[in-house]
Amino acid sequence: MKVKGSLSFNLVMASNMHEGIWKMLTKFGKRKMSCTELTSTTRSALSLLVEREARRVGSRTVAYEIVAQTVGVSSSWIRKFLSRDDSVSEPRITLFENIRAAYLNLCERVEAENRLDELRLQALRGELNAVTAGFDEDGATETSYRSAPHMEVD
């Protein structure tokens, strides 16, 4: 999904979210961002925080409340900011920093969850390989038993 403005920013989801934040952070480090780019990037990060929280809790309304509490604004401000309502002011730098910190925290949690999942999958793969190895050793006996003709008893 492309965000309106001068910055084309693809929203990235769980598994590759860190790539999105990396792109965002590299822009901050390399050059000064325009106010429009900063607002657009902030809106993208905030939108992703709300989407992720809505999936987690199952309610978009509750997600707005949780994210609002996390970053230090009201849920109505978030709704207005994300909908590009003209009545809402641009985020002040402290609010931007809060949104950025919440987004970085989310990325770190997702990456940690992915690493933990990878470890679990490797452990399961090892267990399955051990079981399969047992079948291979006993396989000759089972195959010969299964392939031998069986007599039916009436």
Side-chain angles (χ1 to χ4, degrees), residues 34 45 47 52 71 74 83 101 103 109 113 117 133 153:
S34 72
S47 176
R52 173 78 179 196
V71 299
S74 68
S83 68
Y103 189 79
R109 278 195 333 255
E113 289 169 7
D117 283 345
V153 179

Side-chain angles (χ1 to χ4, degrees), residues 119-138:
L119 291 173
R120 287 181 187 145
L121 291 172
Q122 287 175 357
L124 180 60
R125 187 179 308 127
E127 291 173 19
L128 291 174
N129 286 342
V131 170
T132 305
F135 285 144
D136 290 344
E137 293 169 4
D138 295 337

Side-chain angles (χ1 to χ4, degrees), residues 35-36 97 114:
C35 185
T36 305
E97 285 296 326
N114 287 344

Side-chain angles (χ1 to χ4, degrees), residues 31-101:
R31 65 176 176 82
K32 292 182 181 178
M33 292 182 80
S34 72
C35 185
T36 305
E37 288 175 320
L38 182 61
T39 300
S40 178
T41 302
T42 303
R43 188 173 280 123
S44 296
L46 189 59
S47 176
L48 190 93
L49 288 170
V50 171
E51 290 297 323
R52 173 78 179 196
E53 198 62 31
R55 281 195 316 263
R56 189 181 73 81
V57 298
S59 167
R60 194 163 188 79
T61 304
V62 174
Y64 278 116
E65 292 295 329
I66 293 170
V67 172
Q69 186 177 20
T70 303
V71 299
V73 293
S74 68
S75 60
S76 64
W77 184 92
I78 292 177
R79 283 188 191 90
K80 290 175 185 176
F81 181 67
L82 292 179
S83 68
R84 294 172 168 64
D85 189 328
D86 291 335
S87 68
V88 71
S89 61
E90 297 297 318
R92 59 195 183 280
I93 193 67
T94 54
L95 178 56
F96 164 75
E97 285 296 326
N98 291 348
I99 293 169
R100 181 175 171 264

